[in-house]
């Protein structure tokens, strides 16, 4: 496998119309899960991907397994728990960033929360070039936390560990545990994805240098700055790729040195601005960004192109209403990521943009 992703997925109920949960008359069923989202997007992008988890012996669990497998993801290592249910949640149509947004989770005691060292197939989990994990799993139970410690433990032959911090304060039973555990797990990973806002809220860290100082072990730390862009602090390559004006951004979104100056002697910083996007919904964009960056990593692309891939995959999610969106074709993404800095800076993506090239190809086919 190119990528194995382990984590809980839930059946998501999306409202049929805007309004309070109390007023919405009906919902459409979908799939939601940070790690399975990454696996689905990578499979749609042509990589081999496996999702490992536990689901209940119920219709919702069957829907998850069948739905995720429908994206081309290997689900053979998903286990069915006869005693615990599949998690579900309901959300409103409002954007998560607004005060009117509501989410109702029903995941306590779920089948996935019983994932543990002795309840998952560790060989199947480790049978990938990349193992993608997130901080959400560590918050589900003590057994899940211990499982992530086991999977991230240094050992010969360990797959490349990708870790998305995904700090969700409401999931942690003890508020102080979350920041501590997430920092420990991030320091054991090879690639870390963290939002500048997450680093501030969880660890009181402000700016890329502070985050890099707190995470000296990972080979690459990607700091996401929302619509401003993202910075990758890379301790492997020797070349830093600058953005349009030769600038490298700080993790708070402010553009730093205009000469393309980089981090310390042990690493480089690459900043890529996000393209302008006509947003329909923010749900799933962070997972899609991680999938895009990992896709570029698997292909051995330069760090700048990995970041551009992340932005393009995120833009696909941002311009569709659900959690999952088909990414651009590889040729399409390659052409866009190869744009010069001026053209990249002018890029604007709206709903349907990933289908535009397919439509053009079909129109030109006899």
């Amino acid at each position: 496998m190119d990528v194995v992703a382990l984590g809980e997925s839930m059946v998501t109920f999306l409202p049929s119309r805007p309004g309070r949960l109390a007023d919405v008359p009906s919902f459409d069923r979908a799939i939601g899960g940070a790690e399975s989202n990454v696996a689905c997007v990578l499979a749609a992008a042509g990589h081999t991907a496996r999702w490992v988890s536990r689901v209940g012996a119920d219709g919702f669990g069957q829907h998850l397994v069948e739905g995720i497998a429908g994206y081309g993801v290997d689900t053979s290592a998903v286990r069915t728990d006869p005693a615990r249910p599949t998690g579900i949640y309901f959300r409103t149509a409002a954007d998560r960033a607004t005060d009117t947004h509501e989410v109702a989770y029903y995941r306590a005691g779920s089948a996935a929360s019983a994932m543990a060292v002795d309840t998952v197939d560790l060989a199947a989990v480790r049978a990938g070039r990349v193992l993608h994990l997130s901080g959400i799993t560590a918050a589900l139970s003590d057994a899940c936390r211990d499982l992530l410690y086991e999977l991230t433990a240094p050992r010969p032959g360990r797959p490349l560990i990708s870790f998305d911090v995904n700090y969700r304060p409401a999931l942690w039973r003890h508020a102080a545990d979350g920041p501590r555990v997430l920092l420990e797990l991030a320091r054991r990973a090879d690639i870390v994805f963290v939002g500048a806002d997450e680093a501030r809220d969880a660890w009181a860290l402000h700016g890329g240098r502070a985050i890099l100082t707190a995470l000296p072990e990972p080979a690459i730390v990607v700091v996401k700055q929302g619509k401003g862009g993202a910075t990758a602090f890379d301790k492997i390559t020797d070349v830093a790729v600058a953005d349009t004006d030769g600038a490298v951004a700080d993790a708070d979104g402010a553009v730093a040195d205009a000469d393309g100056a980089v981090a310390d002697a042990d690493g480089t910083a690459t900043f890529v601005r996000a393209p302008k996007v006509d947003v329909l919904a923010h749900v799933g964009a962070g997972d899609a960004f991680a999938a895009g960056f990992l896709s570029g990593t698997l292909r051995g692309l330069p760090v700048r192109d990995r970041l551009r891939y992340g932005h393009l995959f995120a833009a696909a999610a941002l311009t569709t209403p659900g959690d999952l969106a088909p990414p651009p074709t590889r040729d399409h993404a390659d052409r866009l990521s190869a744009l010069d800095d001026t053209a990249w800076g002018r890029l604007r993506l709206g709903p349907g943009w990933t289908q535009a090239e397919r439509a053009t190809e079909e129109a030109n086919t006899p």
Side-chain angles (χ1 to χ4, degrees):
M1 288 290 160
D2 288 333
V3 174
V4 177
L6 176 142
E8 179 174 35
S9 293
M10 294 179 290
V11 173
T12 309
F13 289 92
L14 309 174
S16 57
R17 70 183 189 195
R20 303 183 310 157
L21 283 178
D23 301 326
V24 175
S26 60
F27 297 81
D28 294 320
R29 187 175 61 176
I31 295 169
E35 299 84 2
S36 62
N37 284 350
V38 171
C40 288
V41 173
L42 282 167
H47 298 281
T48 54
R50 169 180 292 156
W51 171 57
V52 179
S53 188
R54 290 172 66 83
V55 299
D58 48 41
F60 291 141
Q62 293 174 5
H63 174 68
L64 282 176
V65 175
E66 293 171 2
I68 292 169
Y71 282 86
V73 176
D74 182 312
T75 58
S76 60
V78 177
R79 298 290 178 257
T80 300
D81 189 321
R84 297 176 179 84
T86 304
I88 64 173
Y89 76 96
F90 298 78
R91 67 176 175 86
T92 58
D95 189 276
R96 283 180 173 176
T98 68
D99 293 336
T100 58
H101 179 73
E102 296 175 77
V103 180
Y105 287 104
Y106 299 91
R107 71 193 307 176
S110 68
S113 70
M115 286 189 294
V117 173
D118 58 352
T119 64
V120 300
D121 184 344
L122 295 181
V125 174
R126 292 175 170 138
R129 296 167 60 192
V130 176
L131 172 58
H132 181 71
L133 307 167
S134 95
I136 295 173
T137 304
L140 298 180
S141 67
D142 291 345
C144 284
R145 179 202 61 205
D146 293 342
L147 173 61
L148 260 60
Y149 279 131
E150 167 65 23
L151 293 174
T152 57
R155 57 169 43 89
R158 188 186 81 167
L160 190 77
I161 302 295
S162 165
F163 183 71
D164 193 335
V165 172
N166 259 327
Y167 178 46
R168 307 285 177 84
L171 288 180
W172 293 90
R173 286 170 294 169
H174 304 290
D177 288 347
R180 174 184 57 80
V181 172
L182 294 176
L183 185 61
E184 291 173 353
L185 290 170
R187 293 185 64 177
R188 296 156 71 105
D190 300 298
I191 300 175
V192 174
F193 299 96
V194 61
D197 54 345
E198 290 179 307
R200 181 189 63 242
D201 295 343
W203 305 321
L205 298 175
H206 300 269
R209 297 298 178 266
I211 296 171
L212 195 63
T213 299
L215 298 173
E217 295 88 355
I220 298 179
V221 177
V222 180
V223 180
K224 299 176 292 181
Q225 297 137 235
K227 64 181 180 181
T231 303
F233 294 94
D234 176 16
K235 302 168 189 175
I236 299 176
T237 62
D238 296 324
V239 180
V241 183
D243 194 40
T244 307
D245 53 2
V248 176
D250 185 46
D252 291 328
V255 175
D257 305 326
D259 57 358
V262 295
D264 305 317
D266 61 344
T268 62
T270 304
F271 171 67
V272 173
R273 288 188 176 90
K276 299 178 182 66
V277 178
D278 298 327
V279 177
L280 284 184
H282 289 87
V283 180
D287 305 327
F289 180 94
F293 190 92
L294 292 176
S295 178
T297 300
L298 288 162
R299 296 177 59 201
L301 299 182
V303 173
R304 186 206 69 165
D305 291 354
R306 299 182 203 182
L307 288 169
R308 286 189 172 188
Y309 251 71
H311 287 315
L312 292 171
F313 280 38
L318 289 167
T319 51
T320 55
D323 283 33
L324 282 167
T329 64
R330 183 169 293 185
D331 287 346
H332 195 182
D334 281 345
R335 279 194 284 275
L336 292 180
S337 64
L339 291 172
D340 61 47
D341 292 333
T342 301
W344 177 265
R346 291 198 301 260
L347 196 60
R348 186 181 190 105
L349 304 171
W353 74 271
T354 59
Q355 304 301 315
E357 177 150 309
R358 291 186 178 92
T360 301
E361 290 173 350
E362 290 169 2
N364 292 332
T365 300

